[in-house]
């Protein structure tokens, strides 16, 4: 087996990720079968065996708000339990610290490697799901006007609210106008599913950005409420606005991601009928 660092991803990586997704349900696939957007930049570490790519690690050098470079690792299902994952981890641990390594669905193999390499479990990100059999509450009046996102006009206002709403979050708080504009070019982007709560002066005070995945799954992509507008039920009202919208599109189910220690958000989502599907875990040296 040979480990090779690449500055640009090669065409052997998408098939490997597709095989991993077939076995594990992650990572998310692009609609066109190409490399997912989050893996198109950064550095790429591939494990080759006999000319076949059997493992892959992606390094997001932009990192998070705490300066951690973000690592995601994958081993082809047909080549597991041969030390490939350990070799990938050992190699990425040689690059500059600090690093944060993600284990999707709290994979037991990742937990074993983390224990052997003295990596601490530092963060848990829950995926929650809402089955279509769960009846939604009646949509409530948020006390402000709700309209949809207008490309070319609302990007900065959304970023400003997002920055205040997620100043504690290691990734979401780093959202930029360029990030929003780049997402507008993705095939799934729909301004009709991007809801903004605005005051009498049309100032954005909250938003609910929804997403529909290629497989027909709906997602509560981001709900952000300005601190000055929190505590009055606006978050729940905006969440319901997006949920009813997604249900109206005929999605198969609705998912969201939330930090395991975000008790207020968890309480809202559980009351709406969401339940935990699985846990993603971040490890750090």
């Amino acid at each position: 087996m040979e480990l090779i660092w690449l500055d640009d991803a090669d065409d052997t990586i998408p098939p490997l990720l597709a095989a991993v997704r077939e076995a594990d349900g992650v990572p998310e696939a692009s609609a066109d079968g190409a490399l997912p957007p989050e893996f198109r930049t950064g550095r790429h570490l591939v494990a080759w065996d006999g000319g076949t790519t059997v493992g892959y690690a992606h390094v997001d050098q932009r990192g998070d708000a705490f300066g951690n470079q973000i690592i995601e690792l994958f081993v082809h299902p047909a080549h597991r339990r041969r030390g490939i994952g350990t070799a990938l981890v050992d190699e990425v641990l040689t690059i500059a610290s600090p690093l944060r390594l993600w284990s999707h669905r709290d994979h037991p193999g990742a937990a074993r490697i983390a224990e052997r390499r003295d990596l601490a479990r530092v963060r848990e990100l829950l995926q929650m799901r809402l089955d279509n059999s769960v009846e939604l509450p009646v949509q409530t009046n948020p006390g402000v006007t709700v309209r949809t996102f207008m490309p070319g006009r609302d990007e900065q206002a959304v970023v400003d609210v997002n920055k205040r709403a997620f100043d504690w979050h290691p990734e979401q708080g780093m959202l930029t106008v360029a990030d929003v504009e780049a997402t507008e070019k993705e095939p799934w982007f729909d301004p009709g599913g991007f809801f903004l709560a605005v005051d009498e002066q049309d100032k954005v005070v909250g938003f609910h950005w929804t997403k529909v995945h290629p497989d027909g799954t709906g997602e509560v992509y981001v709900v952000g409420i300005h601190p000055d507008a929190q505590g009055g039920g606006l978050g729940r009202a905006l969440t319901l606005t997006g949920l009813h919208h997604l249900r109206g599109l005929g999605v198969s189910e609705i998912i969201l991601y939330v930090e395991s220690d975000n008790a207020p958000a968890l309480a809202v989502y559980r009351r709406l009928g969401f339940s935990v599907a699985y846990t993603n875990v971040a490890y750090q040296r």
Side-chain angles (χ1 to χ4, degrees):
M1 182 183 66
E2 184 179 12
L3 298 178
I4 303 292
W5 282 102
L6 304 173
D7 289 326
D8 297 301
D10 65 22
D11 58 8
T12 69
I13 296 174
L16 179 143
L17 295 178
V20 172
R21 178 175 175 80
E22 181 69 23
D24 301 338
V26 289
E28 182 180 336
S30 291
D32 56 3
L35 200 67
E38 62 268 26
F39 296 148
R40 293 174 189 170
T41 58
R43 297 187 70 198
H44 312 269
L45 176 65
V46 295
W48 287 344
D49 189 2
T52 300
T53 297
V54 296
Y56 169 61
H58 175 259
V59 181
D60 184 348
Q61 296 169 299
R62 296 173 302 174
D64 61 22
F66 305 132
N68 299 299
Q69 294 187 62
I70 306 301
I71 315 295
E72 294 186 73
L73 302 97
F74 307 93
V75 178
H76 194 290
H79 298 271
R80 291 176 178 173
R81 303 190 71 84
R82 293 171 45 195
I84 296 169
T86 300
L88 289 169
V89 169
D90 287 344
E91 178 64 20
V92 298
L93 287 176
T94 66
I95 67 179
S97 291
L99 304 174
R100 186 161 287 190
L101 298 92
W102 277 99
S103 166
H104 295 286
R105 302 198 177 199
D106 199 5
H107 198 285
R112 288 192 294 270
I113 295 172
E115 183 178 9
R116 290 196 296 265
R117 295 298 182 264
D118 196 27
L119 303 176
R121 186 181 180 110
V122 296
R123 186 177 165 199
E124 294 181 346
L125 182 67
L126 308 180
Q127 189 201 76
M128 303 186 77
R129 291 178 178 253
L130 180 70
D131 188 83
N132 279 343
S133 63
V134 177
E135 185 175 352
L136 288 175
V138 175
Q139 195 163 324
T140 57
N141 184 348
V144 294
T145 300
V146 175
R147 62 171 176 83
T148 54
F149 178 86
M150 299 178 65
R153 170 183 167 182
D154 290 324
E155 288 85 356
Q156 186 64 60
V158 167
V159 168
D160 290 345
V161 170
N162 183 85
K163 185 175 182 180
R164 292 294 309 277
F166 294 101
D167 59 0
W168 54 272
H169 196 280
E171 293 104 20
Q172 184 61 36
M174 298 174 65
L175 184 75
T176 66
V177 168
D179 293 332
V180 177
E181 291 173 340
T183 306
E184 290 173 28
K185 299 175 184 177
E186 293 295 324
W188 62 265
F189 178 77
D190 175 17
F194 195 162
F195 301 96
L196 309 183
V198 298
D199 64 14
E200 295 85 354
Q201 288 75 44
D202 200 43
K203 180 181 178 181
V204 178
V205 295
F207 64 91
H208 181 181
W209 192 348
T210 69
K211 177 179 182 178
V212 178
H213 293 255
D215 65 359
T217 300
E219 181 178 349
V220 177
Y221 189 52
V222 190
V223 177
I225 308 298
H226 193 283
D228 292 344
Q230 291 176 1
L234 179 57
R236 183 179 187 276
L238 271 178
T239 300
L240 276 171
T241 297
L243 293 179
H244 282 285
H245 166 77
L246 290 170
R247 283 275 180 88
L249 295 177
V251 297
S252 56
E253 64 178 346
I254 300 173
I255 65 170
L256 59 83
Y257 294 90
V258 60
E259 302 292 333
S260 64
D261 59 356
N262 190 346
L266 282 169
V268 169
Y269 296 140
R270 285 192 168 112
R271 283 196 294 268
L272 290 174
F274 282 87
S275 59
V276 175
Y278 62 80
T279 304
N280 295 326
V281 177
Y283 293 97
Q284 190 159 358
R285 181 170 52 188

